[in-house]
Amino acid sequence: APSTTTARLQISVAAELPLDDIEDFEDARRGLIASDPNLVVTGPAGTPIWNMPAYGFMKVATPPASVNPSLWRQARLNNLHGLFEVTDGIYQLRGYDLSNMTLIEGETVWIVVDPLLSTETAAAAYELISREVERLPIKAVIFTHSHVDHFGGVKGMIDESDVEEGKID
């Protein structure tokens, strides 16, 4: 249990915030095409790498007394997962990993932006968009920066030999 001081400070923070405002949740759900609340992605040994049901406790709107209410709310927003259409031809896969992956639809190909943290989660996310939108080959991958959660999954979506042969930029 939190100390009396911590609990009092969390109540004070909550009083200063518009925690009843649901607009952010409506915005975060906009464009949702599909999600899987039972999503568990496993590694080669069958060990869970990503487990959405494990975050089920986040459905409760009121945070525990030990948690900053603003951080709890942000975590609940981050817990909204699935395949989203951001705008025509631009899709995001959220909640398949620590980061989000964006796919840009060309006439006959996908361009991937930041292919997640692990090969297994990237492959699962690519399978969802292939099933729900269209199965297209990947022509290019864009890495926005060098954190592993933005490049580690690339080999779950493409083969290195395709890059070496110039098939994928």
Side-chain angles (χ1 to χ4, degrees):
S3 69
T4 305
T5 301
T6 297
R8 183 173 30 84
L9 288 170
Q10 304 301 21
I11 291 169
S12 173
V13 167
E16 296 176 22
L17 299 172
L19 297 176
D20 293 336
D21 184 355
I22 61 167
E23 185 175 355
D24 289 339
F25 289 90
E26 292 169 352
D27 289 345
R29 286 185 190 97
R30 186 177 302 121
L32 178 64
I33 295 171
S35 68
D36 180 1
N38 299 312
L39 175 69
V40 177
V41 178
T42 58
T47 305
I49 292 174
W50 192 255
N51 184 339
M52 279 309 298
Y55 293 96
F57 68 92
M58 296 300 309
K59 293 178 183 174
V60 177
T62 304
S66 60
V67 179
N68 179 292
S70 182
L71 294 177
W72 184 263
R73 185 173 191 274
Q74 183 64 38
R76 290 185 67 231
L77 286 163
N78 285 340
N79 206 40
L80 300 173
H81 75 286
L83 170 62
F84 296 81
E85 184 174 23
V86 177
T87 191
D88 289 341
I90 300 179
Y91 299 87
Q92 276 192 335
L93 287 130
R94 304 175 194 157
Y96 271 71
D97 215 324
L98 296 174
S99 58
N100 299 327
M101 177 169 56
T102 302
L103 286 104
I104 303 165
E105 187 176 21
E107 289 183 21
T108 59
V109 298
W110 287 116
I111 298 169
V112 177
V113 181
D114 295 332
L116 302 178
L117 175 63
S118 73
T119 58
E120 295 86 356
T121 57
Y126 184 57
E127 181 55 36
L128 180 64
I129 197 164
S130 294
R131 184 176 63 243
E132 296 293 333
V133 179
E134 188 170 4
R135 183 171 297 279
L136 296 172
I138 295 170
K139 177 57 181 156
V141 180
I142 298 170
F143 303 104
T144 60
H145 60 288
S146 62
H147 294 161
V148 72
D149 63 326
H150 286 65
F151 74 83
V154 69
K155 289 185 178 179
M157 303 174 70
I158 66 169
D159 189 275
E160 191 170 349
S161 64
D162 288 338
V163 175
E164 292 169 356
E165 294 171 17
K167 295 177 184 175
I168 299 175
D169 297 325

